[in-house]
Amino acid sequence: LAFLIPKPLFAASSFFDDFNSLNQFQVSNGWSNGGMFNCTWRSNAVRSQNGFAQLSILSDSNGGYAGGEISTSQKYGYGLYEVRMKPAKNSGIVSSFFTYTGPSYGTQWDEIDIEFLGKNTNIVQFNYYTNGVGNHEYVYSLGFDASTSFHTYAFDWKPNSITWYVDGRAVYTATTNIPSTPGKIMMNIWPGTSQVNDWLGAYNGATNLNAYYDWVKFTPSNSTPPTSNIFSNGTYTIANKRSQMALDGAGTYQNANVQQWGLGNGTNQQWQLISTGSNTYKIKNVASGRLLSVRSSATYDGALVEQRSDNNTPDQLWEIYYTEGSYCKILNKASGKALSIQSGSTSEGALAHI
């Protein structure tokens, strides 16, 4: 059995940060989302102090406004996402906590949101996008002003539902067209343009507005990812369940072996899954540009697997089936035999075969 890990690395492990530093986060700097975002992301709008992350709306030295945004370097999937935060209060602005992935990361646009509209911080808005389709907004009345004190907000993302929480109490569940693509954990604060006045209220140009984050936490679930979680032309690590090592291209030349090796970030351990229909894929090594193939197109037990240029033979086609948890079998189309490691070895350098 193997498991697929989307690249950038899909971190199935838990995550926690108490913002004593920003070492686990990437700080957005020097660009704008455009559209409804009336700011440029600037690193000086992000600070870690007194055990909090402070994201701000400031005057931008280049004119206009600066907003603060941070994100994890890794992506996370199904599980419980929690944040203890205090949003900013002012018409025309948003303070948020969300997950996001999209075309710039080689995936469809999937997103799950917790958003505070600064015009009324007695409410919180929940939303999500699946392949770019949103319009799932739900507004919840908190019964308190979120901008005056810290509270805990969360969402539990499962294959068939998302449940949002306020201070540990479930307040809303969505069950329609749920996203499935792992995303980065993100937080930001931004002013809106006039095109979203109906939603946010008019922004009055106020600056030195701050949202504060005390801690953030992710706890993964054991949900089984659907096969639809595999995206054609997506890039993955393929790791062996027993050894926890990655499928590794041992060279970039024609007929180079395929082995297992400790998980790393090299392109020799990255494989592009190219759909040919009916749950069948060509699996291309990113470093070599060659396809995962069976040597001499053999179909017998123990035939070695290699990297070979695409010659449209059935031994270069593979079917992927999830079996348990996040694990799957990868079956060769020509032989019907599973991709395996010789003798069930857990050693680095052990060769792949069928």
Side-chain angles (χ1 to χ4, degrees):
L1 295 180
F3 58 93
L4 304 181
I5 311 174
K7 286 286 184 179
L9 190 66
F10 175 10
S13 59
S14 59
F15 176 87
F16 178 80
D17 198 286
D18 58 6
F19 296 115
N20 286 321
S21 73
L22 294 171
N23 292 340
Q24 294 195 87
F25 292 91
Q26 299 171 327
V27 178
S28 298
N29 184 50
W31 71 87
S32 173
N33 289 15
M36 62 186 177
F37 292 82
N38 188 14
C39 68
T40 300
W41 304 121
R42 297 292 186 190
S43 58
N44 68 334
V46 176
R47 300 176 65 187
S48 173
Q49 60 178 13
N50 303 321
F52 302 110
Q54 176 183 302
L55 305 187
S56 304
I57 296 172
L58 306 173
S59 295
D60 190 4
S61 59
N62 293 330
Y65 305 101
E69 180 178 73
I70 58 176
S71 62
T72 56
S73 58
Q74 297 184 348
K75 294 181 179 180
Y76 299 84
Y78 299 127
L80 179 65
Y81 295 77
E82 301 173 85
V83 66
R84 183 170 172 80
M85 66 175 288
K86 184 170 64 171
K89 188 181 187 72
N90 194 82
S91 180
I93 70 170
V94 176
S95 310
S96 69
F97 172 73
F98 61 108
T99 60
Y100 171 80
T101 188
S104 60
Y105 300 122
T107 71
Q108 67 182 31
W109 172 13
D110 280 8
E111 178 177 339
I112 303 173
D113 298 313
I114 295 175
E115 296 175 309
F116 293 90
L117 313 185
K119 68 179 182 180
N120 182 359
T121 48
N122 290 288
I123 64 171
V124 61
Q125 179 176 286
F126 308 134
N127 196 13
Y128 61 98
Y129 294 81
T130 303
N131 198 19
V133 178
N135 296 317
H136 301 292
E137 293 89 348
Y138 179 84
V139 174
Y140 175 74
S141 295
L142 293 167
F144 55 82
D145 185 346
S147 71
T148 62
S149 59
F150 284 95
H151 291 267
T152 301
Y153 308 92
F155 57 85
D156 190 8
W157 177 22
K158 297 179 180 180
N160 298 310
S161 67
I162 307 166
T163 298
W164 284 265
Y165 293 81
V166 175
D167 289 331
R169 184 167 66 93
V171 297
Y172 179 66
T173 298
T175 58
T176 303
N177 196 26
I178 300 302
S180 61
T181 316
K184 294 190 174 193
I185 300 172
M186 301 186 67
M187 287 143 273
N188 63 22
I189 183 172
W190 51 276
T193 62
S194 59
Q195 67 181 270
V196 287
N197 282 357
D198 288 347
W199 176 36
L200 304 183
Y203 176 54
N204 58 9
T207 55
N208 299 311
L209 303 172
N210 305 311
Y212 297 93
Y213 298 80
D214 187 8
W215 52 259
V216 60
K217 182 179 180 181
F218 167 70
T219 305
S221 72
N222 294 318
S223 301
T224 302
T227 53
S228 61
N229 206 34
I230 300 172
F231 295 99
S232 184
N233 299 315
T235 302
Y236 295 79
T237 291
I238 301 173
N240 181 262
K241 178 183 179 183
R242 183 175 182 182
S243 68
Q244 299 292 297
M245 293 185 186
L247 197 67
D248 182 289
T252 59
Y253 52 88
Q254 181 80 336
N255 306 120
N257 285 333
V258 176
Q259 62 186 4
Q260 67 177 6
W261 204 263
L263 281 164
N265 291 315
T267 54
N268 57 311
Q269 292 186 357
Q270 297 180 22
W271 302 85
Q272 186 179 25
L273 273 56
I274 304 167
S275 176
T276 62
S278 301
N279 199 40
T280 303
Y281 299 84
K282 293 180 179 180
I283 303 178
K284 180 190 288 186
N285 185 264
V286 172
S288 69
R290 303 182 194 279
L291 297 184
L292 191 68
S293 313
V294 180
R295 184 156 295 164
S296 303
S297 300
T299 58
Y300 56 83
D301 284 339
L304 289 178
V305 170
E306 64 181 9
Q307 301 168 73
R308 194 170 72 237
S309 298
D310 188 351
N311 56 8
N312 291 311
T313 53
D315 68 289
Q316 296 182 319
L317 299 176
W318 303 84
E319 297 177 329
I320 301 176
Y321 297 97
Y322 280 99
T323 57
E324 56 181 270
S326 60
Y327 295 103
C328 58
K329 286 185 178 180
I330 301 176
L331 302 181
N332 185 254
K333 186 76 169 178
S335 66
K337 294 179 170 37
L339 179 66
S340 311
I341 300 298
Q342 282 186 327
S343 303
S345 176
T346 58
S347 300
E348 286 191 325
L351 296 180
H353 69 164
I354 58 170

